[in-house]
Structures are given as C-alpha cells and as structure tokens.
Amino acid sequence: MGLQHTKHSEVKQANILMLGLDSAGKSTLLYKFKYKDVFLTVPTIGFNVDMIDTRKDFTLTFWDVGGQQKMRRSWCNFLENADGLLYVVDSSDKRRLEESKKEFELILKNEFLKSVPVIVLANKQDLPGALNAEEITRRFNVKKHCSNKNWYVQPCCAITGAGLSEALQRLTTFAKHYIRAKETSTTFKEIETL
Ligand code: G3D
Ligand code: MG
C-alpha cells in the first residue's frame, strides 16, 4: 500500500467572522482595512454584513454581523463558513469587559468554531487606562478557551491603524493553515469511505 498524495488547490480566500460588543470598534476597523488596502470590493448584500476583500493574492472577506443585542442571535448563521474569528474588544471600557468576555466564551462554545483560529483585537490602545494585550489575554482566559486552536491577542488602535497590518498578516497565516487542515481532513474522510 502506498502513500496517497493529494495536491491542495492554492488557498485564495478566507471568510473572517468579526464579532465583539457594539462600540468595540468593528466598523472603524473595516473602514481602516478598506482604505489601507488597494484591492477591495464591498458588495451590498443587505442585512448588517460588510464584506471586504483585501490584498491582491489572497482575499480576506470580513463579515461584520453587528454586535447589538438583537443581532447576536444571527451570529450562528455565519459560524459554519468561518475560517477565522476576529474578536474585537474595547480595551478601555472596563465596565463592559465582563460582558464582552461572556460573549467571547459563549461564541467559542459553538461546535462550528471548534478549531477555527482566533485573533482577539485589544482595540482602543490609544485611550488612557486601556488594558494591554497581556491583561486582555489574562482577563478573557484566552489560553484556556483557545487551547485547541491557533490564537493571538493583538493590541491595536482602529483610528490610527496601529497594529492592524500585524493582525491581518497573522490572520492570513492562521486562516490558510486552517483551510488546508480542513481540506486534508475532508480528503482523509473521502479516502476512508472508498
Ligand atoms: P462597532 O462597529 O463595533 O459598534 P464603531 O464600533 O466602529 O462604531 O466604534 C465605536 C466608537 O469607538 C466610535 O466613536 C469610534 O470612532 C470609536 N473607536 C473605534 N476604535 C477606536 C480606537 O482605536 N480608539 C479610539 N479612541 N476610539 C475608537 P463614536 O464617537 O463615533 O461613537
Ligand atoms: Mg458597527
């Protein structure tokens, strides 16, 4: 019996689910991504979703499904196709940190996100008293909740754009890795059923 080699098609696109409480800075981030990168399209598909394609050789499509209470129930619809989760936190809003943490924990319990990579954006680093990335990591218990997947906590400021290219780079690496792993496991399942 020989080894079966499967040639992967080149990964060109990834769906990134963007979540976080209202006012965390999601829309500001999308705006910044849009005007920083050359290649983009913003299809109007109604609903509270923003799709943005960035980079020439690889497309990250961001789905900003809104953080308001009434929108949270619709999050699940977007989880199934997610190749990455970008979770945005207002690091300066200590009053709502616990609420944000609860949402984070809740979303990670979803079966569809079991091994989906996670980037937590510790946003609003420009504001006085903002918790740094280490503190957000600790408070959100990220190590524990993301122990079975790739994760990173990136400090950033959506207004100046500081930290965003690092976040995009890491997100791209994680998402590509995730998609390849998904393809491999599908291939193995197909082989098993032969
Ligand atoms: P949301 O889409 O997650 O609900 P928004 O959040 O992008 O609408 O941002 C909510 C508010 O936070 C906005 O202010 C926005 O300018 C501000 N904001 C977003 N990111 C940052 C940041 O990194 N630093 C600072 N100082 N402010 C930020 P307004 O005043 O329009 O409500
Ligand atoms: Mg918004």
Side-chain angles (χ1 to χ4, degrees):
M1 211 163 81
L3 278 174
Q4 296 205 36
H5 288 281
T6 310
K7 199 172 183 295
H8 291 297
S9 51
E10 205 190 330
V11 181
K12 291 228 162 87
Q13 192 269 342
N15 291 316
I16 306 301
L17 184 67
M18 215 173 175
L19 296 176
L21 299 182
D22 52 290
S23 276
K26 299 180 296 300
S27 299
T28 313
L29 280 161
L30 281 176
Y31 184 85
K32 204 73 190 173
F33 289 159
K34 244 191 265 188
Y35 293 100
K36 213 172 142 283
D37 291 280
V38 210
F39 173 63
L40 61 105
T41 57
V42 188
T44 310
I45 54 169
F47 201 51
N48 198 8
V49 178
D50 248 324
M51 282 173 73
I52 297 182
D53 299 342
T54 62
R55 293 159 189 258
K56 274 173 246 145
D57 57 337
F58 188 73
T59 301
L60 288 172
T61 306
F62 291 93
W63 298 75
D64 171 13
V65 299
Q68 300 88 348
Q69 196 75 45
K70 62 177 164 49
M71 290 299 297
R72 291 190 202 166
R73 258 173 279 136
S74 65
W75 284 0
C76 280
N77 303 333
F78 299 91
L79 302 182
E80 195 170 353
N81 297 317
D83 304 308
L85 170 66
L86 193 61
Y87 192 83
V88 187
V89 180
D90 178 345
S91 318
S92 73
D93 190 353
K94 296 189 186 86
R95 281 176 313 134
R96 295 187 74 196
L97 214 62
E98 196 54 34
E99 185 188 353
S100 180
K101 180 192 167 182
K102 286 211 174 95
E103 290 296 345
F104 180 67
E105 288 173 344
L106 191 69
I107 208 76
L108 288 178
K109 286 200 179 110
N110 192 288
E111 188 61 18
F112 289 126
L113 294 185
K114 209 166 59 178
S115 44
V116 167
V118 172
I119 301 271
V120 176
L121 285 183
N123 192 32
K124 307 201 188 182
Q125 287 297 316
D126 57 310
L127 293 179
L131 298 176
N132 64 23
E134 289 71 29
E135 195 60 17
I136 294 285
T137 308
R138 197 178 65 76
R139 302 264 188 121
F140 278 63
N141 222 339
V142 184
K143 278 183 196 156
K144 180 182 156 222
H145 294 304
C146 297
S147 58
N148 53 349
K149 62 184 87 198
N150 276 326
W151 64 270
Y152 193 75
V153 181
Q154 173 71 48
C156 73
C157 172
I159 295 204
T160 62
L164 298 191
S165 54
E166 291 90 335
L168 285 182
Q169 255 168 34
R170 206 172 289 264
L171 199 54
T172 303
T173 310
F174 281 0
K176 280 184 177 173
H177 189 269
Y178 174 76
I179 292 166
R180 291 210 184 96
K182 207 164 56 173
E183 278 178 5
T184 309
S185 80
T186 312
T187 310
F188 277 134
K189 275 186 201 132
E190 279 165 6
I191 292 170
E192 275 169 19
T193 55
L194 279 180

